[in-house]
Amino acid sequence: MAATDGVGAPGSSLHGLTGREPAYAFSVDSKEQSEANTRLFALPVDSEHKATEFRLFSLAKPHMQTFHLSWSSFFTCFVSTFAAAPLVPIIRDDLGLTKGDIGNAGVASVSGAIFSRLAMGAICDLLGPRYGCAFLIMLAAPMVFCMSLVTSASGYIVMRFLIGFSLATFVSCQYWMSTMFNGKIIGLVNGTAAGWGNMGGGATQLIMPLVYDLIRKAGASPFVAWRIAFFVPGCLHVIMGLLVLTLGQDLPDGNLKTLQKKGEANKDKFSKVLWYAITNYRTWIFVLLYGYCMGVELTTDNVIAEYFYDRFDLNLRIAGFIAACFGMANIVARPLGGYLSDFGARHWGMRARLWNIWILQTLGGAFCLWLGRSSSLPVSIVAMVLFSICAQAACGAIFGVIPFISRRSLGIISGMTGAGGNFGSGLTQLLFFTSSRYDTAEGLMLMGIMIMACTLPVAFVHFPQWGSMFLPPSKNAQEEHYYGGEWNEEEKSKGLHQASLRFAENSKSERGKRVASAPTPPGATPEHV
């Protein structure tokens, strides 16, 4: 029978039902129970108990409390990962670092997260985002403290590599938002959570020089002051880890392990979750796309302060302040990209989301090229800000699409996409910023060209039910077919696919005004609904 007014059973927000529920779980006579369940939440929710409203300054449980825990934990990890960047002029004199050492450390700081983000995706799918986020932050804390003990170039590179593992909290952040908020607003929510988290890359350009100056004024020598300064991000790690562990909640209906013990959430198989992620070609295109929006943002965070310090002969504080503008733009730029994605989808569907990615990311590449060619300080600052806004908005736009690629493998795909950002950053720094073959200005120009070239494959992303940038939807394609196709007949007979079908029903908004309110044609719904 056709899906109409479904009930979000406890724990169904992400992992579906257990197979013990009646086969008519979508029937109209479940309406009273659904309305009773929605009254348990402070925000209005859909049939999956995902919030349909986003109230930025609310702490309503569980949706908005999760939002604030998520972005602030990611913010903390960004601060610690890039804490060394604004202090490089001091650290390089203390440790005798060469340009190659500094470049390799930059590559190392983002390379570790390639592996941790892949692992975090699986952890979120199988154990829940709360444990993944809290434990990673806590495990990274000793590494941040140990940065103060480094005495050699190799030690410096190793510690930046290990601290960089904490950037995998990005995956738990985006995954968490996708389990808590409806698809109609997911672009804005994901963009805001990640944008405010990424803002840590800009904030650390202000925080660390300020902390360093305060310690210097207290009487410490320059080579001691920078070491003491790392105790600030280290303490932040401990505090945020405890807050996430004690206040966080995996799903709207409770924590995943608790729901599984009660039999209210099923345990998925890792092999199946992984298979549907790696065999979906859209996953790999978005890995590439994210490598050249988020990836270039990470690259720029590592080189921009030193670039302005050396190119325009600025002092450390002024160079750090200018560099901070790049990362701080995240407070509005990434949410803007998500909002534009949602706005376009409301009017023109998924095709508008894809066009939005191409426009923003291509403009970002053009402004990056301009930044490298600029020879005056004011023009360079303008080019940097425009580059920052477009690149970060493109990141928000990309994660306006990620939740729709796969319902079953959301965690793995989020992890792979996030890892793509780190891989792109590491590769770009290795190619353009670690040797004397190119100076930093030339590296920025080449990076801009690479951004524009690597954005082109978005044109090949096609959703049969919604279409692509240039092609309309496939004939008779329906959301239920696309998301239901991730489950075999045996799994469907047990009702394990029900959460995917509820998601399919809610995702009909991606058709745009064209047919946003059109009912599913007779016979289009899979027989196991």
Side-chain angles (χ1 to χ4, degrees):
M1 59 190 291
T4 55
D5 202 5
V7 177
S12 66
S13 316
L14 180 64
H15 291 268
L17 307 180
T18 62
R20 301 181 182 131
E21 294 73 14
Y24 46 87
F26 283 87
S27 60
V28 178
D29 59 353
S30 299
K31 184 175 182 179
E32 292 182 5
Q33 180 65 35
S34 178
E35 291 176 348
N37 286 339
T38 60
R39 287 196 292 269
L40 299 175
F41 301 99
L43 299 181
V45 297
D46 62 14
S47 60
E48 297 179 277
H49 293 174
K50 295 181 181 180
T52 57
E53 290 184 9
F54 180 50
R55 300 175 186 171
L56 184 59
F57 300 107
S58 168
L59 289 174
K61 297 180 180 180
H63 304 92
M64 294 311 303
Q65 181 170 284
T66 297
F67 167 80
H68 289 295
L69 286 171
S70 184
W71 78 259
S72 54
S73 59
F74 184 38
F75 176 93
T76 299
C77 294
F78 239 96
V79 168
S80 60
T81 298
F82 295 100
L87 301 180
V88 160
I90 307 301
I91 297 173
R92 69 184 177 188
D93 292 339
D94 185 10
L95 303 181
L97 304 178
T98 65
K99 181 179 180 180
D101 293 330
I102 295 170
N104 289 331
V107 174
S109 69
V110 297
S111 297
I114 295 174
F115 310 105
S116 61
R117 286 186 169 187
L118 289 172
M120 181 64 83
I123 290 170
C124 287
D125 275 327
L126 302 175
L127 300 179
R130 182 177 66 103
Y131 279 149
C133 180
F135 289 157
L136 181 58
I137 294 176
M138 297 290 281
L139 287 171
M143 311 304 170
V144 182
F145 288 123
C146 285
M147 191 69 173
S148 62
L149 304 177
V150 167
T151 59
S152 65
S154 58
Y156 175 71
I157 293 171
V158 169
M159 294 317 302
R160 292 208 65 187
F161 174 77
L162 294 175
I163 294 171
F165 273 67
S166 66
L167 288 182
T169 49
F170 165 77
V171 177
S172 61
C173 171
Q174 300 293 270
Y175 181 94
W176 225 344
M177 296 304 94
S178 298
T179 67
M180 290 287 179
F181 293 90
N182 179 268
K184 291 182 180 180
I185 59 172
I186 195 59
L188 174 62
V189 177
N190 266 345
T192 305
W196 285 20
N198 284 1
M199 189 173 61
T204 197
Q205 306 280 352
L206 296 174
I207 294 170
M208 295 306 289
L210 176 61
V211 172
Y212 169 81
D213 282 344
L214 290 174
I215 297 171
R216 286 278 289 118
K217 289 177 181 178
S221 67
F223 292 169
V224 172
W226 77 261
R227 298 173 183 276
I228 298 175
F230 273 87
F231 279 80
V232 172
C235 291
L236 287 176
H237 269 254
V238 175
I239 293 169
M240 282 310 307
L242 293 173
L243 287 176
V244 170
L245 196 60
T246 56
L247 301 179
Q249 182 172 309
D250 290 318
L251 305 169
D253 299 306
N255 288 317
L256 179 60
K257 296 297 290 184
T258 301
L259 294 171
Q260 288 176 338
K261 288 179 180 178
K262 293 179 179 179
E264 295 172 351
N266 67 287
K267 295 182 179 180
D268 211 339
K269 294 181 179 179
F270 174 73
S271 58
K272 293 289 184 72
V273 174
L274 178 64
W275 174 253
Y276 286 112
I278 64 175
T279 57
N280 191 323
Y281 79 92
R282 301 166 192 83
T283 301
W284 298 104
I285 292 179
F286 276 90
V287 168
L288 175 63
L289 292 172
Y290 203 63
Y292 284 90
C293 60
M294 185 60 199
V296 297
E297 182 184 346
L298 295 175
T299 298
T300 308
D301 281 333
N302 268 324
V303 304
I304 197 66
E306 185 185 13
Y307 172 69
F308 279 102
Y309 178 87
D310 292 333
R311 185 174 176 84
F312 299 105
D313 196 27
L314 304 176
N315 66 44
L316 187 64
R317 184 181 295 179
I318 297 299
F321 180 80
I322 294 172
C325 295
F326 183 87
M328 293 297 286
N330 268 295
I331 195 170
V332 293
R334 189 154 181 161
L336 175 63
Y339 173 78
L340 291 174
S341 183
D342 291 340
F343 177 82
R346 283 196 297 271
H347 291 80
W348 302 285
M350 177 59 70
R351 300 175 74 180
R353 292 190 190 270
L354 299 174
W355 273 104
N356 192 42
I357 292 170
W358 181 80
I359 292 170
L360 290 170
Q361 195 153 320
T362 301
L363 284 174
F367 289 130
C368 181
L369 176 61
W370 185 27
L371 171 62
R373 292 181 59 86
S374 300
S375 57
S376 71
L377 180 60
V379 173
S380 293
I381 293 173
V382 171
M384 180 198 72
V385 170
L386 292 174
F387 165 41
S388 173
I389 291 172
C390 290
Q392 291 160 9
C395 292
I398 283 175
F399 269 85
V401 176
I402 291 297
F404 298 100
I405 294 178
S406 170
R407 177 65 173 76
R408 188 174 188 179
S409 303
L410 174 61
I412 296 288
I413 292 175
S414 296
M416 291 176 66
T417 305
N422 289 78
F423 180 80
S425 176
L427 178 62
T428 303
Q429 289 183 67
L430 195 63
L431 291 175
F432 305 135
F433 299 102
T434 58
S435 71
S436 57
R437 182 177 180 183
Y438 306 109
D439 61 29
T440 306
E442 291 172 326
L444 289 169
M445 286 189 288
L446 292 170
M447 185 168 73
I449 295 170
M450 203 163 182
I451 293 168
M452 291 185 280
C454 291
T455 305
L456 295 175
V458 71
F460 298 106
V461 175
H462 181 87
F463 290 91
Q465 68 275 36
W466 300 317
S468 59
M469 286 175 62
F470 299 105
L471 298 175
S474 303
K475 189 176 181 180
N476 297 326
Q478 297 295 323
E479 289 81 359
E480 291 87 351
H481 293 153
Y482 182 82
Y483 295 108
E486 295 182 318
W487 304 87
N488 60 37
E489 292 303 315
E490 180 182 355
E491 291 168 330
K492 289 178 180 178
S493 67
K494 296 177 181 179
L496 301 181
H497 68 315
Q498 298 287 359
S500 291
L501 296 180
R502 269 192 300 280
F503 180 79
E505 186 66 25
N506 289 324
S507 69
K508 283 180 167 54
S509 59
E510 294 305 304
R511 300 175 180 182
K513 284 186 175 180
R514 173 179 57 88
V515 285
S517 60
T520 302
T525 304
E527 60 179 323
H528 289 283
V529 175

